[in-house]
Amino acid sequence: MRLSSFVGACALVLGVPALASAQGQKFAYVNSAAILQSAPGRTEAEAQFDKDMTSMRAAVQKLSDSLNTLQEAYAKEEVSLSPAAKEARLKTLREKQAEYQDRVQKMQEQAQAREAELMQPIMDNVRKVLDDIRAEGGFAFIFDVAAGSLIVSADKNLDITDRVVSKLRLAAPRAAPGAAKPATAKSPLGGPTSAPAGLNTKKPPTE
């Protein structure tokens, strides 16, 4: 699952005031990436996503292997094929490549939808805690200083990231005594890629 990409898609900034109206208002800021990194449920969501992607990765690999087999067979037989036979085989290869790309694209969309589904409860909790803290603290705005922010310098005393994380943990349901801890996923929430995290596609060789 792509944490950084999901942070970008679900910005936690609660508002950006005009400078002319900033006087007399209280402000604070958070680092949304740090909050989501520590948010309760994130590890479980990563592990579940990685588990869900197992069958999808296998399906992509099977498609890729099938296409590679066709291409290798054509390469071996090309010299003995008549011009008409070559054209027919190339046509088949182009159709298979198009089918492969279409299937992979659909799988990517399914993976992204599953990622959003797993992350939605976590994002909802973060938004609720931010709204609660903003109301409790009397803040007019809470800014996000995660990657991509336009804020280049800020008073560290206004950083309420740890406060948000603490409140999220207090609000999280406690695990039953003796319950097994979820396995740590292999960081499927890294930076944006052309395919969803965990969905490793092997690009077939060109003709």
Side-chain angles (χ1 to χ4, degrees), residues 97-191:
Q97 285 179 328
E99 180 184 348
Y100 171 85
Q101 294 298 337
D102 183 63
R103 289 285 301 279
V104 168
Q105 177 61 34
K106 289 179 179 177
M107 288 179 181
Q108 290 174 356
E109 292 170 358
Q110 292 171 5
Q112 290 163 359
R114 181 56 174 156
E115 173 190 12
E117 179 185 2
L118 290 169
M119 286 299 296
Q120 192 60 53
I122 298 172
M123 297 302 299
D124 289 343
N125 287 337
V126 171
R127 289 192 184 96
K128 183 180 184 305
V129 167
L130 281 169
D131 278 334
D132 289 345
I133 289 179
R134 181 186 57 76
E136 293 166 3
F139 299 112
F141 298 95
I142 299 178
F143 297 94
D144 183 8
V145 296
S149 170
L150 295 177
I151 299 175
V152 295
S153 180
D155 184 345
K156 292 187 181 298
N157 292 321
L158 300 178
D159 186 355
I160 60 170
T161 299
D162 290 342
R163 181 176 169 185
V164 173
V165 171
S166 295
K167 189 157 187 171
L168 280 169
R169 288 174 175 168
L170 287 174
R174 297 188 178 278
K181 294 183 179 180
T184 301
K186 298 181 293 181
S187 186
L189 297 182

Side-chain angles (χ1 to χ4, degrees), residues 9-207:
C10 302
L12 302 179
V13 180
L14 298 183
V16 180
L19 293 178
S21 62
Q23 294 183 352
Q25 295 180 330
K26 289 180 64 177
F27 304 98
Y29 67 88
V30 296
N31 185 322
S32 62
I35 290 173
L36 289 180
Q37 184 72 20
S38 304
R42 172 185 172 273
T43 299
E44 293 88 337
E46 287 184 355
Q48 183 60 52
F49 183 81
D50 196 52
K51 180 180 178 182
D52 293 346
M53 291 302 100
T54 299
S55 61
M56 195 171 292
R57 285 194 297 266
V60 169
Q61 188 63 54
K62 185 177 180 180
L63 287 171
S64 179
D65 290 345
S66 177
L67 183 56
N68 285 336
T69 298
L70 288 175
Q71 291 173 323
E72 289 169 2
Y74 171 76
K76 290 179 181 178
E77 301 167 12
E78 182 180 5
V79 294
S80 62
L81 295 174
S82 66
K86 283 184 181 181
E87 182 57 34
R89 292 283 290 275
L90 286 173
K91 182 175 181 292
T92 299
L93 280 173
R94 286 192 290 268
E95 290 173 349
K96 290 294 183 181
Q97 285 179 328
E99 180 184 348
Y100 171 85
Q101 294 298 337
D102 183 63
R103 289 285 301 279
V104 168
Q105 177 61 34
K106 289 179 179 177
M107 288 179 181
Q108 290 174 356
E109 292 170 358
Q110 292 171 5
Q112 290 163 359
R114 181 56 174 156
E115 173 190 12
E117 179 185 2
L118 290 169
M119 286 299 296
Q120 192 60 53
I122 298 172
M123 297 302 299
D124 289 343
N125 287 337
V126 171
R127 289 192 184 96
K128 183 180 184 305
V129 167
L130 281 169
D131 278 334
D132 289 345
I133 289 179
R134 181 186 57 76
E136 293 166 3
F139 299 112
F141 298 95
I142 299 178
F143 297 94
D144 183 8
V145 296
S149 170
L150 295 177
I151 299 175
V152 295
S153 180
D155 184 345
K156 292 187 181 298
N157 292 321
L158 300 178
D159 186 355
I160 60 170
T161 299
D162 290 342
R163 181 176 169 185
V164 173
V165 171
S166 295
K167 189 157 187 171
L168 280 169
R169 288 174 175 168
L170 287 174
R174 297 188 178 278
K181 294 183 179 180
T184 301
K186 298 181 293 181
S187 186
L189 297 182
T193 60
S194 58
L199 179 54
N200 295 322
T201 60
K202 185 165 116 182
K203 186 178 179 180
T206 57
E207 296 170 14

